[in-house]
Amino acid sequence: MRLVKLLTRTGPLFTIAAIAATLASHQGLTGLAGALLGLTLQLAALQLGTLLGALAWRLKIRHIIIGVGTELRAWTTPRIRVVLRSLPVVIMVGARSIHPPVRRRLWLTGTTSALVGAATAAATWLLATGPLSYGLAIGATTCLLHELIPRRSAGTTSPGWFLFSLPRLKGRAAAEMDATPLVNDVVEAVRAADLDKADVTLARLVEAHPSLLMTTGAQATVLNIRGRYAEALHLLSALVGRPDMEPRDMALVLAEMAGATACAVEAGQLPLEIGLPAGTRAAEGAIGFGLPRYRLTGTLAQLALLRGDTAEALSLARQSADSSTDGLGRADSLATAARAQMAAGDNAAARTTLAEAESLAAWLPRVATTSARLKIT
């Protein structure tokens, strides 16, 4: 079921599968099976290309996620998180540029990904001898052509965007990209729980790029990680009226606002009767501007818990924990799950859930306050 959800919530992949299946249909059911395998193979090849490009052009590899579904095993350090999930049918690689020139390194990484994908598609045609292998070649080629179409939204960025659109980036969008090394320094300091270093780096970022959205986002991140949710919310709210906001920007800002609002209510920094509807509207707005709903499951879990729907909160929190790409995100989602279990009267389950959260980030404000509440109860 989780694999089906992955395909259906990712409209482009579902479209690719449908096109590839149509093209391969004259090969019978075997050809259709080959097309699906070709789609999966090409997606893995493009991600492998991203990994190779990141290593070659000195990008920071943030995470490597193998498969979908429930997390089976994870290796987490302040530098990288590697996760093995229950259905190892796909691979996802997250990388960011930490050294200038940022755009050149990202373009070269995107080019490497595209070249590995093209080589994979060519190899499937060279080895095609029957219905299964012809279907494989059709699926891999269809997927490659689709991924070379430049697309960038709040949910995804295609290799084609890095290849064809990134070199033409100008104005604020280019400045945002060039500021990523300093932003990543702030994020890495937070991940390493070195908040003093995060403050120092953030000050440098604000001085160098005071008007960028990424700068405000980094400020909000540091405020949230210190438990100053209302201040983070106030900072993010000031962005909504900016005339240079694109739909992707608006989706990401509203998502951050929804999360900060839920945390502010939870921490008693904002009244429930004001924060709950405001957080719900922000979450719905983020989805409306193109952010996939699954990217908001952690915040939606908190909002459900604030509404008193413990079953929905627990289900969403578990989904969020399973889909997390970093240790802090998983720890935060597990804290929500533990709170839902406590609200349902199952403190024993909450202790088990919270034990994993503490092993990942015991210092995280929501983990620490949940632990304190559990000890009192």
Side-chain angles (χ1 to χ4, degrees), residues 66 107 152 160 164 168 195 268 301 305:
I66 303 168
W107 181 82
R152 194 185 193 205
F164 302 116
R168 296 184 281 109
L195 301 189
L305 190 56

Tab-separated table of all heavy atoms in Angstrom, residues 66 107 152 160 164 168 195 268 301 305:
chain	number	residue	atom	x	y	z
A	66	ILE	N	16.874	4.333	1.237
A	66	ILE	CA	16.722	3.156	0.385
A	66	ILE	C	15.359	2.536	0.663
A	66	ILE	O	15.113	2.006	1.747
A	66	ILE	CB	17.840	2.130	0.649
A	66	ILE	CG1	19.212	2.778	0.425
A	66	ILE	CG2	17.674	0.913	-0.262
A	66	ILE	CD1	20.374	1.955	0.918
A	107	TRP	N	24.751	22.407	-11.284
A	107	TRP	CA	24.552	22.085	-12.696
A	107	TRP	C	25.361	20.854	-13.090
A	107	TRP	O	24.862	19.963	-13.796
A	107	TRP	CB	24.952	23.272	-13.572
A	107	TRP	CG	24.731	22.997	-15.033
A	107	TRP	CD1	23.556	23.095	-15.735
A	107	TRP	CD2	25.727	22.547	-15.972
A	107	TRP	NE1	23.751	22.740	-17.048
A	107	TRP	CE2	25.081	22.401	-17.227
A	107	TRP	CE3	27.083	22.274	-15.870
A	107	TRP	CZ2	25.756	21.968	-18.364
A	107	TRP	CZ3	27.756	21.841	-17.012
A	107	TRP	CH2	27.099	21.701	-18.244
A	152	ARG	N	10.141	22.560	-11.445
A	152	ARG	CA	10.523	22.853	-10.065
A	152	ARG	C	9.295	23.337	-9.318
A	152	ARG	O	8.635	24.288	-9.741
A	152	ARG	CB	11.619	23.908	-9.995
A	152	ARG	CG	12.272	23.981	-8.618
A	152	ARG	CD	13.261	25.120	-8.532
A	152	ARG	NE	14.084	25.004	-7.341
A	152	ARG	CZ	14.668	26.030	-6.742
A	152	ARG	NH1	14.504	27.262	-7.208
A	152	ARG	NH2	15.413	25.842	-5.673
A	160	GLY	N	16.082	17.739	-15.195
A	160	GLY	CA	16.024	18.662	-16.326
A	160	GLY	C	16.060	20.118	-15.903
A	160	GLY	O	16.582	20.970	-16.633
A	164	PHE	N	18.772	22.501	-17.566
A	164	PHE	CA	18.396	23.517	-18.546
A	164	PHE	C	17.981	24.865	-17.938
A	164	PHE	O	18.188	25.905	-18.569
A	164	PHE	CB	17.251	22.991	-19.419
A	164	PHE	CG	17.577	21.716	-20.141
A	164	PHE	CD1	16.883	20.545	-19.859
A	164	PHE	CD2	18.588	21.685	-21.083
A	164	PHE	CE1	17.182	19.356	-20.525
A	164	PHE	CE2	18.904	20.497	-21.753
A	164	PHE	CZ	18.203	19.327	-21.473
A	168	ARG	N	20.168	29.628	-16.337
A	168	ARG	CA	19.515	30.887	-16.723
A	168	ARG	C	18.898	31.616	-15.531
A	168	ARG	O	18.200	32.606	-15.695
A	168	ARG	CB	18.443	30.602	-17.771
A	168	ARG	CG	19.014	30.051	-19.076
A	168	ARG	CD	17.961	29.848	-20.152
A	168	ARG	NE	17.205	28.621	-19.937
A	168	ARG	CZ	15.945	28.582	-19.541
A	168	ARG	NH1	15.305	29.708	-19.274
A	168	ARG	NH2	15.325	27.440	-19.389
A	195	LEU	N	24.224	25.140	19.079
A	195	LEU	CA	23.371	26.297	18.841
A	195	LEU	C	24.140	27.614	18.921
A	195	LEU	O	23.760	28.601	18.286
A	195	LEU	CB	22.205	26.296	19.831
A	195	LEU	CG	21.296	25.057	19.772
A	195	LEU	CD1	20.067	25.261	20.632
A	195	LEU	CD2	20.902	24.738	18.339
A	268	GLY	N	2.044	26.785	24.720
A	268	GLY	CA	1.334	27.803	25.487
A	268	GLY	C	1.708	29.225	25.110
A	268	GLY	O	1.419	30.162	25.863
A	301	ALA	N	-0.154	16.110	12.141
A	301	ALA	CA	-0.291	15.277	13.340
A	301	ALA	C	-0.427	16.147	14.584
A	301	ALA	O	-1.254	15.883	15.462
A	301	ALA	CB	0.920	14.358	13.470
A	305	LEU	N	-3.694	16.465	17.077
A	305	LEU	CA	-3.591	16.281	18.528
A	305	LEU	C	-4.184	17.473	19.275
A	305	LEU	O	-4.853	17.314	20.302
A	305	LEU	CB	-2.124	16.084	18.917
A	305	LEU	CG	-1.842	15.641	20.358
A	305	LEU	CD1	-2.581	14.361	20.698
A	305	LEU	CD2	-0.337	15.451	20.564
